[in-house]
Amino acid sequence: MTGYRVAAGHAGVDALVATGAAHRASVPRMTQLILNSPPVRRNPAFDVRDPLYVSTRADWRSWFYNAANTDPEVIATDERLKQTAGALEIPSALPYLVNGVSRTTNIPVLGDRDPLFAHAADCSSDAALAAFERRFYGRWATVEAMVVGGAGHMLNLERTAPATFDRMLEFCDRHVGVLPTA
């Protein structure tokens, strides 16, 4: 959400790679996430007293992954190292879905897919997702999409991550330019 606001308000932004979000969310999946993210003040593993900080229930982190596409040790490590989130993060993101901030984004955009949104948007192919998302962007924006086959929400931690990164870099190279390597 922050990325869209920055891109919309600064003419110097050349491209935006948006991951893990779409303009239509799965209400049942979001509800499931909220119901399985209780306040951490009740959890002795966290030294947080604020009732607005939450974390996922024990052994629930695997929900974010496609287990068949992820090393089990990665999921176990994520469970062990999980952090808190603000209870208002999900509700504060909802206005982004309806307030049109991305309509002022007239830059190339690459999006990809995860299960929180795949049940609400057309993720049958890259072209179908791009067509679905196109209406939410500015008139001059080039909207591309990438449906990462077999991936869950944790794109950076699943086995398909190298191919996902390659595609994002290729997009940036085409729309921003190839960065020099050190």
Side-chain angles (χ1 to χ4, degrees):
M1 290 18 106
T2 302
Y4 285 107
R5 286 199 171 104
V6 170
H10 294 84
V13 176
D14 295 321
L16 177 66
V17 176
T19 64
H23 283 83
R24 187 174 296 152
S26 168
V27 173
R29 296 266 178 138
M30 289 293 183
T31 301
Q32 188 179 12
L33 173 59
I34 292 167
L35 292 175
N36 285 285
S37 299
V40 296
R41 71 172 190 234
R42 299 180 191 144
N43 185 334
F46 297 101
D47 186 24
V48 177
R49 310 270 185 270
D50 190 324
L52 293 179
Y53 281 90
V54 299
S55 190
T56 54
R57 295 187 188 286
D59 299 320
W60 205 75
R61 297 296 298 169
S62 62
W63 185 82
F64 290 103
Y65 295 87
N66 174 356
N69 189 36
T70 309
D71 182 328
E73 189 55 37
V74 168
I75 298 172
T77 300
D78 186 19
E79 178 66 38
R80 193 170 56 256
L81 299 176
K82 69 182 172 184
Q83 299 176 343
T84 62
L88 300 178
E89 283 183 44
I90 293 172
S92 69
L94 293 178
Y96 145 80
L97 296 172
V98 296
N99 72 3
V101 70
S102 57
R103 287 190 192 284
T104 59
T105 303
N106 280 309
I107 58 176
V109 177
L110 173 71
D112 52 38
R113 185 59 32 226
D114 75 64
L116 292 170
F117 299 93
H119 298 281
D122 184 351
C123 297
S124 59
S125 69
D126 293 357
L129 180 57
F132 173 83
E133 285 289 309
R134 179 69 193 97
R135 64 184 162 189
F136 298 104
Y137 292 94
R139 178 182 197 177
W140 306 111
T142 300
V143 179
E144 296 180 28
M146 177 174 67
V147 177
V148 182
H153 184 69
M154 302 301 218
L155 294 168
N156 297 335
L157 299 174
E158 296 189 26
R159 289 184 175 110
T160 48
T164 302
F165 295 148
D166 287 347
R167 177 82 181 273
M168 287 189 257
L169 289 171
E170 182 271 330
F171 171 85
C172 291
D173 288 348
R174 275 189 292 114
H175 293 285
V176 179
V178 177
L179 298 174
T181 56

